[in-house]
Amino acid sequence: MSVRATPRYRGDLPVEVTSFVGRRRELSEARRLLGRTRLLTFVGAGGVGKTRLARRVAADLRRAFPDGVWLVDLAPLQDEELLAPTVAATLGLADWSVQPSLDSLVDFVSDKHLLIVLDNCEHLLDVCAALADGLLSAAANVRILVTSRQPLGVGGETVLDVPPMSLPAPDRPMSERHLDESEAVRLFMERAAEAVPDLALAEGDWEAVARLCRRLDGIPLAIELAAVRLRSLSIVQIIDRLDDRFGLLTRGSRTAMPRQQTLRATVEWSHDLCSPGERTLWARLSIFSGGFDLPAVEQVCGGDAIASEDIFELVAALVDKSLVRRDGARYRMLETIRQYGRMMLAESGEETTLGRRHRDHYQWVVMRSKEARFGPDQLRWYARLRLDHANIRAAMDFCLTEPGEAQTVFRMVTANWPYWIYYGILGEGLHWLSLALKKDSTPTAARAKALWVAGRLALLQSDLSGAELLLRDCADLAKKLGDPSAEAHAMELFGVAELFKGNYAEAISLQEEAVRRYRVIGEPPGACAVALYRMALAASASGRTDRAEAFCKESLAICENHGTHLYRPLALWALGFNEYRRGDLREAVATIGESLRLQRHSNDQWNTAQCVEVLAWIASAGGQHEHAATLLGAAHTLWRSLGTSMPRTPPFVDFHDPCDSHLHETLGDEAFAAAFQRGAILGPDEAIGYALNESPRRSRRTTRAPSALTSREQQVAGLVAQGMTNKEIAATLVIAQRTAEGHVEHILEKLGFASRAQIASWATKNSEAD
Ligand SMILES: Nc1ncnc2c1ncn2[C@@H]1O[C@H](COP(=O)(O)OP(=O)(O)O)[C@@H](O)[C@H]1O
Ligand SMILES: [Mg+2]
């Protein structure tokens, strides 16, 4: 996992791997509509180009959305309940809160200016409709772009029918010169050139290309599937074969064939042209969700009619035919193609067998990662699991439909429990555990572990009472089973509950006893490292700084000896907090700075938030009041993106509240608010940079703008400097012209200027200073 550089634009649009063709009319129509409506749905048959168009629109509009443009591919999502958590995770909102994830999501976006693309919603229409409704009614500056075969059907939705690509005019002779006039022809020629690099068309072939594109109704996917056939067939041969096939379907009457059927017939034709082995593999590959890698194909799809050693060749053949797409070291299928495969799989009667093999494979992957759980490869493994998250979900779904398999879900969730915490998907971990706990109450060690892992997740969501219920069940069961590991974990976690209640002495003694037992029974050292870090926190909070220091050192030594990268930043943070408690402010800044720097290499938003928070307390104690208020603002936003109420919980609240009141007193409410706001608008990377004093660019900008232009106004000022009219600014930012005028008026007022020229020269100077 590499460090994410501060992105120029926020968001997570994937790069386009093949060229994009045409669609100028649809693009400008979509932009125009998004200026007026907040929910725009691209509707059309599979393969017509909805997804591609939506991605392009989103990329073009990045500048208009300061809080980013975010794409959520819903094709692999089966479970409705995971829709809101999935969208939240994409937006960078971690799920550390006990409230329903739709509510957290609504809170989180309420003041944001962003565009969410929900791609492939057709199988989740009702929940998507509810989500869109919830988001749009709470957040005035959020827009949603949907792609779906059918509209969501909610109030305020604007539907744009995505047409097939434009075709050559039937009455005009076709030649290379007219290439640009038809999108379908251009797409065909681009894909043909990729398939056959030295392709040369004779004069007469142009007419055939035009006929072929008309034959395929201008459907991009059909065109792509036909173009790759040029490797072995001539254009005329392709047309002849399609003519035969379509003629058969419509008994000669061309007009009777709707677009879906054209695509369907083209897909079937591609299918018929595959070898038997390719066909079988195509069907079997449809068992994967959200892509797959080669080892998975070998494990899941080999055997019975496909020899393992042939797998690679067969995958390569499907890639050649554009039926499987390569995506770095992974592969995926377009949804339309996958669904066809799924149908073939059902017909073959292999569905359950394949489902079981798929489940076995991902169970094996998760179990293997367990060995690396607390070692140096831990984070690499997590990244690996995250790539296959959709497959892991599908495997667990499979288990929950099979009798007697809930125990497997226990194992899959708990084998690597820190995974759910690390990615901030605590709610999802709990979701799977509670489904499985309800389904199967057999008293096993797997269940006892599921109970304490669920308790741990609930605790971190600040759901103390829910956690204690689970832990009590766990302790009872562990006693019955004679399971010292589960008993010790329950004990540790009761200790954590005491910590969050502010009962520091109990917190220490419970966790201390748990650690002693971990050592006796040989639990992984990482488990001790985490407990020691929380013991240190409890000791520092209650003023026992010597003990706290000893706990920190012990925790650090474990991390050092076992290469546990994940917990080192936590132990350092605790050490820094303890130094602050002792009054060694300079040391504390250095130690927490080190924790924060290490943090950058990982995804642990929690520790980032607590580092920035403590740096604020330190700055306040050191008399840097304004700086402290800005750090508090940055920490506030970081906590918010975790959805947690932790700053309101001991021990944090014991220090947070006094710091907050002290700063209000010394700075006055107004100056406090201004400084706080400067921190609150920082993104996570910027917040780290600011906290580490590394971001002169940002801090200059924030100190230079006492006029307090909002980020939107700064954007508008920049566009004024580019010489844009209000109308052009409105179009660029997808806002009403009246709104653009309002922004310009505010800028004039705030900066005390009388003309646009003054704004322009001010904005230019400021951007040079950047
Ligand atoms: N404007 C375009 N330029 C290039 N390729 C396109 C374009 N529109 C669609 N395609 C290609 O056609 C195929 C189907 O498009 P897609 O957007 O996935 O359709 P849908 O979402 O409607 O099912 C994809 O391989 C896509 O890359
Ligand atoms: Mg699509």
Side-chain angles (χ1 to χ4, degrees), residues 98-310:
V98 68
Q99 68 172 330
S101 38
L102 181 56
D103 296 353
S104 308
L105 187 58
V106 166
D107 279 353
F108 183 64
V109 300
S110 60
D111 58 353
K112 298 224 167 15
H113 222 117
L114 47 81
L115 174 69
I116 303 173
V117 182
L118 298 177
D119 193 17
N120 295 309
C121 291
E122 44 275 326
H123 57 302
L124 297 167
L125 288 177
D126 291 345
V127 265
C128 286
L131 179 98
D133 203 40
L135 291 181
L136 295 179
S137 54
N141 292 317
V142 167
R143 269 155 222 243
I144 302 180
L145 178 58
V146 167
T147 84
S148 171
R149 293 191 191 163
Q150 283 142 38
L152 297 188
V154 309
E157 179 182 34
T158 303
V159 174
L160 179 72
D161 240 309
V162 177
M165 291 190 144
S166 63
L167 292 166
D171 46 355
R172 190 113 69 71
M174 189 68 196
S175 77
E176 196 167 359
R177 273 181 296 123
H178 299 303
L179 184 65
D180 278 349
E181 289 169 16
S182 154
E183 295 166 333
V185 171
R186 267 175 51 205
L187 179 65
F188 181 83
M189 291 311 298
E190 299 224 355
R191 297 299 181 261
E194 282 157 26
V196 187
D198 50 1
L199 180 77
L201 289 189
E203 191 56 30
D205 286 340
W206 289 104
E207 203 44 58
V209 172
R211 247 177 62 216
L212 177 59
C213 291
R214 276 187 223 116
R215 200 54 167 145
L216 296 174
D217 286 342
I219 301 171
L221 178 55
I223 292 172
E224 289 186 333
L225 292 176
V228 293
R229 289 291 158 195
L230 284 173
R231 291 209 180 95
S232 50
L233 299 171
S234 73
I235 294 189
V236 176
Q237 283 172 321
I238 296 176
I239 295 181
D240 285 348
R241 286 168 200 218
L242 286 172
D243 274 347
D244 287 351
R245 180 167 292 266
F246 290 4
L248 224 63
L249 285 171
T250 58
R251 293 194 198 81
S253 131
R254 184 64 191 88
T255 46
M257 192 139 127
R259 262 175 233 149
Q260 281 103 309
Q261 220 178 325
T262 305
L263 179 66
R264 173 68 186 263
T266 316
V267 173
E268 263 166 21
W269 174 64
S270 294
H271 188 252
D272 290 355
L273 290 178
C274 286
S275 70
E278 289 162 14
R279 277 181 227 155
T280 308
L281 185 60
W282 176 353
R284 291 184 185 173
L285 289 177
S286 71
I287 200 76
F288 291 108
S289 284
F292 45 86
D293 56 21
L294 207 53
V297 184
E298 283 164 357
Q299 291 299 317
V300 178
C301 304
D304 301 337
I306 301 186
S308 289
E309 60 271 23
D310 294 339

Side-chain angles (χ1 to χ4, degrees), residues 675-754:
F676 184 92
Q677 187 54 25
R678 284 200 291 276
I681 59 169
L682 299 179
D685 294 322
E686 295 165 327
I688 296 180
Y690 177 78
L692 290 173
N693 231 339
E694 274 175 6
S695 182
R697 195 178 82 89
R698 177 55 81 158
S699 46
R700 221 181 19 236
R701 194 183 103 190
T702 44
T703 50
R704 198 188 50 237
S707 51
L709 293 195
T710 63
S711 59
R712 186 51 133 193
E713 287 160 358
Q714 293 186 10
Q715 240 180 338
V716 171
L719 298 177
V720 169
Q722 291 177 30
M724 286 195 192
T725 62
N726 287 347
K727 194 168 165 190
E728 287 164 338
I729 293 173
T732 309
L733 299 179
V734 211
I735 53 181
Q737 187 170 336
R738 182 64 209 106
T739 313
E741 285 162 13
H743 284 312
V744 173
E745 278 160 25
H746 284 138
I747 298 170
L748 289 170
E749 200 176 306
K750 284 186 179 171
L751 298 177
F753 290 157

Side-chain angles (χ1 to χ4, degrees), residues 264-565:
R264 173 68 186 263
T266 316
V267 173
E268 263 166 21
W269 174 64
S270 294
H271 188 252
D272 290 355
L273 290 178
C274 286
S275 70
E278 289 162 14
R279 277 181 227 155
T280 308
L281 185 60
W282 176 353
R284 291 184 185 173
L285 289 177
S286 71
I287 200 76
F288 291 108
S289 284
F292 45 86
D293 56 21
L294 207 53
V297 184
E298 283 164 357
Q299 291 299 317
V300 178
C301 304
D304 301 337
I306 301 186
S308 289
E309 60 271 23
D310 294 339
I311 293 263
F312 177 73
E313 290 297 323
L314 289 172
V315 171
L318 291 174
V319 171
D320 268 356
K321 296 184 168 76
S322 216
L323 294 164
V324 169
R325 313 277 166 119
R326 211 171 68 91
D327 192 354
R330 290 174 68 81
Y331 301 87
R332 62 189 179 84
M333 278 174 146
L334 285 184
E335 200 44 26
T336 313
I337 303 289
R338 190 178 90 98
Q339 278 168 7
Y340 189 80
R342 201 65 200 224
M343 202 186 67
M344 305 309 293
L345 186 64
E347 277 173 20
S348 74
E350 282 188 333
E351 209 169 8
T352 312
T353 318
L354 257 286
R356 191 164 302 126
R357 284 166 66 173
H358 176 272
R359 191 273 322 273
D360 289 347
H361 176 68
Y362 289 100
Q363 186 187 351
W364 175 79
V365 170
V366 170
M367 289 320 203
R368 255 190 57 195
S369 74
K370 182 179 174 185
E371 290 152 27
R373 197 170 25 166
F374 293 111
D377 283 341
Q378 186 174 18
L379 294 187
R380 216 171 44 82
W381 266 105
Y382 287 174
R384 159 94 189 66
L385 294 181
R386 193 72 178 132
L387 277 179
D388 273 316
H389 194 72
N391 280 314
I392 293 170
R393 278 178 175 174
M396 293 196 287
D397 258 331
F398 179 86
C399 290
L400 290 169
T401 58
E402 291 276 287
E405 291 289 351
Q407 300 277 332
T408 308
V409 176
F410 293 153
R411 278 189 289 273
M412 287 186 73
V413 179
T414 63
N416 237 317
W417 56 264
Y419 171 79
W420 307 95
I421 301 169
Y422 179 70
Y423 283 109
I425 44 176
L426 288 75
E428 183 174 345
L430 271 168
H431 165 83
W432 291 112
L433 286 176
S434 45
L435 286 178
L437 284 166
K438 262 187 230 133
K439 195 139 189 151
D440 183 338
S441 52
T442 324
T444 60
R447 181 181 175 86
K449 184 167 182 189
L451 285 165
W452 69 252
V453 171
R456 190 182 282 275
L457 298 179
L459 268 180
L460 295 178
Q461 288 189 325
S462 310
D463 175 16
L464 300 196
S465 54
E468 282 175 334
L469 282 177
L470 289 158
L471 294 173
R472 229 165 279 135
D473 278 358
C474 173
D476 291 348
L477 179 57
K479 204 175 231 149
K480 226 185 283 161
L481 295 170
D483 178 343
S485 164
E487 225 170 329
H489 278 280
M491 183 176 282
E492 179 205 340
L493 294 167
F494 278 123
V496 178
E498 294 305 323
L499 168 68
F500 292 157
K501 286 190 248 170
N503 301 331
Y504 302 127
E506 286 88 335
I508 296 174
S509 64
L510 283 165
Q511 293 180 89
E512 201 164 27
E513 174 59 16
V515 168
R516 196 188 63 74
R517 296 185 182 191
Y518 288 160
R519 288 187 165 135
V520 172
I521 57 183
E523 285 291 295
C528 300
V530 191
L532 283 160
Y533 136 79
R534 290 220 179 78
M535 286 153 68
L537 179 53
S540 288
S542 51
R544 301 159 76 182
T545 51
D546 288 347
R547 283 202 84 186
E549 181 161 333
F551 293 145
C552 288
K553 297 253 151 94
E554 230 180 308
S555 182
L556 279 170
I558 294 174
C559 296
E560 207 74 54
N561 295 337
H562 298 273
T564 309
H565 300 318

